[in-house]
Amino acid sequence: EVQLVESGGGLIKPGGSLRLSCAASGFTFSNAWMSWVRQAPGKGLEWVGRIKRKSDGGTTDYAAPVKGRFTISRDDSKNTLYLQMNSLNTEDTAIYYCTTFYSSNWYGSYFDLWGRGTLVTVSS
Amino acid sequence: DIQMTHSPSSLSASVGDRVTITCRASQSITNYLNWYQQKPGKAPKLLIYAASNLQSGVPSRFSGSGSGTDFTLTISSLQPEDFATYYCQQSYSTPYTFGQGTKLEIK
């Protein structure tokens, strides 16, 4: 079965750090571009960042609110995507979704496979 | 950043109705527009990519159209399982931005 399963969420104090994981199965993870999207409680969707596959350079790109604080990485040997989150603040409270990210010149880019998400709550 | 605006923000409709949701971009995004459906407590699901392409497994009652700045998602005959929140998303440039969503409720 093709799936993404996030883990690592929880309650963290402001200023703290947390690492989320996303375990992929059912597809060739090393060929996939991956992304994180978050959703604050009762709010809309916000793109967090993206990592290319290693054969495309493995580079990352981030949204402004998280740039310099969050780092996306991948371990293709473990079929796992990571999101290292530092200097967390209350505005980072959200469900964090792991997604596959398809990109082409013809169709643009889109988030085609989503995990169920993991909740991160930043509160004192 | 490119701003995406849904219209309306919420909509009440009945089973069997034809429903159209509109999304407007703050600048031209050619056809780089995607639509997602999200049900309460669930992850979003991709419905339409590149403005008018139906994702595999999505029922044919869903369709998308538009280019440039104005886009529409149409559900030809609402089914009970279609009551959800719908989001548009542009992939023309980073940061990839979503609209605020349109909540489709049962009348």
Side-chain angles (χ1 to χ4, degrees):
Chain A
E1 181 186 4
V2 176
Q3 65 175 354
L4 300 168
V5 179
E6 302 92 337
S7 60
L11 177 62
I12 187 79
K13 286 183 167 49
S17 297
L18 203 59
R19 189 178 81 158
L20 306 183
S21 299
C22 170
S25 58
F27 64 98
T28 307
F29 178 75
S30 60
N31 284 345
W33 293 25
M34 300 295 296
S35 191
W36 289 95
V37 175
R38 69 183 180 182
Q39 185 170 35
K43 302 297 184 182
L45 300 165
E46 181 184 25
W47 174 71
V48 171
R50 177 218 66 214
I51 186 167
K52 296 181 180 181
R53 61 186 179 185
K54 284 191 166 53
S55 60
D56 289 326
T59 55
T60 53
D61 200 1
Y62 300 95
V66 307
K67 195 168 187 178
R69 300 189 298 124
F70 289 13
T71 301
I72 298 174
S73 61
R74 63 191 300 158
D75 185 337
D76 291 344
S77 69
K78 295 182 178 179
N79 290 340
T80 302
L81 178 74
Y82 301 101
L83 179 64
Q84 177 67 44
M85 304 185 294
N86 299 330
S87 303
L88 285 161
N89 59 61
T90 56
E91 294 177 347
D92 297 317
T93 294
I95 297 172
Y96 285 75
Y97 295 103
C98 167
T99 81
T100 55
F101 182 85
Y102 177 86
S103 186
S104 77
N105 290 332
W106 185 254
Y107 294 120
S109 306
Y110 49 85
F111 309 105
D112 48 353
L113 175 65
W114 296 65
R116 291 186 174 185
T118 187
L119 177 62
V120 173
T121 302
V122 184
S123 175
S124 55
Chain B
D1 298 0
I2 297 175
Q3 307 302 315
M4 306 301 294
T5 304
H6 282 258
S7 179
S9 296
S10 63
L11 175 62
S12 294
S14 301
V15 173
D17 283 354
R18 179 184 180 88
V19 167
T20 297
I21 296 169
T22 297
C23 177
R24 175 166 287 176
S26 60
Q27 67 180 73
S28 177
I29 57 171
T30 65
N31 69 326
Y32 290 170
L33 188 282
N34 308 311
W35 290 97
Y36 302 85
Q37 176 195 64
Q38 187 178 33
K39 297 180 180 179
K42 301 292 187 182
K45 172 187 171 183
L46 176 68
L47 298 177
I48 302 279
Y49 60 92
S52 61
N53 295 273
L54 197 67
Q55 173 70 345
S56 176
V58 174
S60 59
R61 62 181 179 273
F62 291 92
S63 64
S65 65
S67 66
T69 60
D70 294 315
F71 301 87
T72 59
L73 173 70
T74 299
I75 309 172
S76 60
S77 178
L78 269 176
Q79 298 302 301
E81 61 268 29
D82 299 338
F83 292 94
T85 299
Y86 292 84
Y87 293 95
C88 64
Q89 173 249 324
Q90 65 82 19
S91 66
Y92 184 79
S93 64
T94 58
Y96 304 115
T97 46
F98 294 83
Q100 82 280 14
T102 292
K103 188 173 183 179
L104 180 54
E105 298 175 306
I106 300 173
K107 183 183 286 185

